[in-house]
Structures are given as C-alpha cells and as structure tokens.
Amino acid sequence: MKAAVRPPREATPGPAVFLAGAATFALEILGPRRIAPFIGTSIASMTATIAVVLTGAALGAGIAGRMADRGASVRAEGVALLLAAVGLALSTTFARPALSFIAPDVPLVVRALVGAIAMCLPASVALGAVPVFAARRAVEARPLTAGVLGRLSAIGTVGG
C-alpha cells in the first residue's frame, strides 16, 4: 500500500505582513537618527521622514495593487520584502551623498526632505507592496475576503 503524500503547506501571509509593519515603523523611528549627523535632530527631520515613509508605502501599495490585479506571482511579496531589505541596507549609502551635495545654506526642511527621500523612499515603497501581495494570496486561498483582509490589517498594525 502506498503512503499518502500530503501536499506541502503554503506559508501564511501573516508573518510577511507583520514584518513589513514592523520594518515600516522602524524606518520611521530610525530614519531621522541616521540622517541626524548631516542635519541634526529636529521636528523637520522627524516630519520629513514620516511623510516620506507613508508616501512611499502608499506608492508601493498602489503599484502592488495594479500588479496584483494583473496576476502577480505569489512570490511577489517575498520579492518585495527582499527589495525592502536591500533598500534598508543601502539607505545610508544613498543618504550621505544626497545630503553632502546640498549646500548648507539650503533651508533645513529641504535638506531633511532630501535626506528622508534618499534614505527611506526605496525601502518604504517595497514595504508598502508586501501587504497587498499578501492580501491577494490570502483572498485567493479563502473566500471570506473581509475577515481575511481585516486580520491581515490587524497583523500589520500590531507589527507596526
């Protein structure tokens, strides 16, 4: 008699959404600290970083939504997480030249915004895409979409 072979279990999207939420929050908190040596710590650097991270996440979600509607692969959320990790790893590399290029007499708000864009935008766009791809995968697996989407939103919020 042949033993029954169980199909491999598909990973749930919850951990990816949790990680994306946590990484987004960490980016909002640590971003200003990383650009502080160039522009100092100020309300301008905090505000610019939070604005850039939220804008990037919105852009990522919008782009991912279009891709998911066109049938993006289930691997897309993993690719988005990988791109976010690479973006986070290289972020300081981008921020330093961008901030050193700006003249010191440029207003602090502009310098803070340029530093936040250089440091946080690529990673936050990728992080914003993760929950959308995870939601698509979850909705395909379960017909009760409102409950699934609500749980994913809660997981992302707890992560943040």
Side-chain angles (χ1 to χ4, degrees), residues 47-148:
T47 304
T49 302
I50 291 170
V52 167
V53 169
L54 293 177
T55 301
L59 284 170
I63 293 166
R66 291 181 114 186
M67 291 173 67
D69 282 345
R70 293 183 182 142
S73 157
V74 295
R75 293 185 179 129
E77 75 188 74
V79 170
L81 274 174
L82 180 65
L83 289 174
V86 169
L88 287 170
L90 296 176
S91 62
T92 304
T93 306
F94 295 135
R96 286 183 180 160
L99 286 167
S100 63
F101 178 73
I102 296 177
D105 60 338
V106 172
L108 177 63
V109 173
V110 174
R111 289 190 332 224
L113 192 56
V114 168
I117 288 170
M119 178 156 180
C120 301
L121 190 62
S124 63
V125 168
L127 288 169
V130 172
V132 176
F133 291 131
R136 174 168 189 210
R137 192 160 57 96
V139 166
E140 286 175 344
R142 291 183 172 72
L144 302 174
T145 58
V148 170

